[in-house]
Amino acid sequence: MMRFLVLASQYRVLIILGLTLVVSALVVPGYLAPSTLGLGLDRAATIGLIAIGLTVLLIAGQIDLSGGAVFALAGIVSVILQREIGILPAAIVGILVGAVAGAINGALVVGLKVNSLVLTLATMLIFRSLAHWVTNSQPVTGTDIMLSLALAKTYLEIFTIRSALFIVLIVLLHVWLTRTIPGRNVFAVGSNPAAAKESGIASDRIVFLGFVFAGTLAGLAGVLQSLVTNTGSPVFGSELTVAVIAAVVVGGTRLEGGRGSALGTLGGVLTIGSLTIAMEFQSIPAYVQQVVSGLILILLVVLDRAVTAKGRAPGTRPALVRDKPITQGGNL
């Protein structure tokens, strides 16, 4: 039984993604058609861009719940400013809004030494309130519907600009995490922050830049969404947080930090995206989709805890609190 749990945990991304595709293909006619898969990949890219930033944060032992609110606020700013400074400059400002929001999160977490879960829950409420205040709780429209149509165009029958960008960024993240010293230092910080700091790794700097990175990616996702829909809305992204966390955890990244992978996140994002598209084709309400994502998240956390607890020798402490030295140095 234990061996089965270990194998299921190790290959859970492939297992869950495979089951999702098989069940969806049986239930939804034409689900495996290139057009349907392309739609699912484009939808998954919205989750995926935010998940890229969250992957880095979770590996570093942090979390950001404000991604959905930053997503909405960045998109609103990029739409409102289009008439004043043009589409491209407005889009850049929107992405910078995401970076600033991430910097605020990072500075507060590092400077005040507070729990990132509580801190980003508070900033989520603040950023969402700002989005409602700026728009008077009403959607705002952009200036160029033709650009929206161009961005939504499908290439090679499956890729849009947004989904192609997501794939490129997730591959770059994989290379950075596995082939560079700064990337490996993120794992060290998440595994044991005190030991990482003793080894000369700039833990606070890594955490701060991780929040900036996560905010920037959330801002980018929000700007792309506003450009594709030609609309900014304070309610955009309100249901993204659970889906993003579920996607990253499905991919094998631990909520406790110190373990995760970009390719695992890719598999998790594809799983959640495929599941979402299948449920939408079956006209399943959004709140039921949230329940499914939540149940998947609970199941995976329980599975991970069961494997970790049974695989640890009696009387030993978890790896997160062991005082194991870190021999790898270098700063981010």
Side-chain angles (χ1 to χ4, degrees):
M1 182 63 181
M2 178 59 196
R3 187 175 181 180
F4 173 77
L5 288 175
V6 172
L7 289 174
S9 179
Q10 185 177 359
Y11 297 103
R12 61 183 175 185
V13 182
L14 294 177
I15 293 172
I16 296 175
L17 179 58
L19 288 175
T20 300
L21 292 175
V22 170
V23 173
S24 299
L26 293 175
V27 174
V28 181
Y31 182 80
L32 296 180
S35 58
T36 305
L37 293 177
L39 176 62
L41 181 59
D42 183 65
R43 185 69 57 83
T46 300
I47 299 172
L49 288 171
I50 305 176
I52 289 174
L54 186 62
T55 298
V56 174
L57 277 181
L58 284 179
I59 292 175
Q62 306 293 326
I63 193 168
D64 184 0
L65 299 182
S66 67
V70 174
F71 173 90
L73 184 60
I76 288 169
V77 170
S78 68
V79 169
I80 289 177
L81 292 180
Q82 285 182 8
R83 291 177 174 81
E84 305 296 330
I85 61 176
I87 294 177
L88 181 58
I92 294 174
V93 173
I95 296 172
L96 290 176
V97 166
V100 170
I104 292 172
N105 285 336
L108 291 174
V109 169
V110 172
L112 300 179
K113 305 297 181 183
V114 296
N115 185 286
S116 59
L117 176 68
V118 177
L119 188 282
T120 57
L121 177 62
T123 56
M124 175 191 72
L125 299 175
I126 294 171
F127 296 148
R128 183 70 66 183
S129 298
L130 282 175
H132 281 278
W133 177 67
V134 169
T135 62
N136 198 25
S137 298
Q138 298 296 321
V140 291
T141 57
T143 60
D144 190 353
I145 187 64
M146 299 307 296
L147 176 62
S148 301
L149 297 175
L151 290 174
K153 185 178 179 181
T154 302
Y155 300 90
L156 301 178
E157 296 188 2
I158 193 169
F159 293 105
T160 62
I161 292 176
R162 178 165 51 181
S163 60
L165 178 62
F166 162 61
I167 297 296
V168 169
L169 289 177
I170 203 76
V171 171
L172 290 177
L173 178 64
H174 170 72
V175 173
W176 184 75
L177 286 174
T178 59
R179 298 288 186 268
T180 69
I181 290 177
R184 293 194 293 272
N185 284 347
V186 175
F187 289 92
V189 171
S191 295
N192 195 323
K197 197 168 185 177
E198 291 280 334
S199 301
I201 297 175
S203 301
D204 288 346
R205 185 182 179 191
I206 288 176
V207 170
F208 173 77
L209 292 178
F211 276 104
V212 174
F213 180 66
T216 302
L217 267 293
L220 174 62
V223 168
L224 288 174
Q225 179 70 12
S226 70
L227 291 177
V228 170
T229 61
N230 198 40
T231 304
S233 172
V235 300
F236 278 178
S238 58
E239 299 176 350
L240 278 179
T241 301
V242 173
V244 171
I245 294 176
V248 178
V249 173
V250 166
T253 300
R254 293 188 62 183
L255 294 172
E256 295 87 349
R259 193 181 77 188
S261 72
L263 297 184
T265 293
L266 172 61
V269 167
L270 293 179
T271 298
I272 298 299
S274 301
L275 191 61
T276 300
I277 288 296
M279 289 190 290
E280 288 181 352
F281 269 78
Q282 294 299 108
S283 300
I284 295 176
Y287 62 85
V288 177
Q289 298 178 28
Q290 289 287 328
V291 170
V292 173
S293 297
L295 290 175
I296 291 175
L297 186 56
I298 292 173
L299 176 63
L300 291 173
V301 171
V302 171
L303 175 62
D304 186 67
R305 287 297 178 92
V307 171
T308 302
K310 292 184 179 181
R312 191 187 310 140
T316 60
R317 291 181 294 164
L320 286 177
V321 298
R322 285 187 208 138
D323 298 324
K324 296 191 299 181
I326 295 177
T327 57
Q328 181 175 288
N331 294 324
L332 184 65

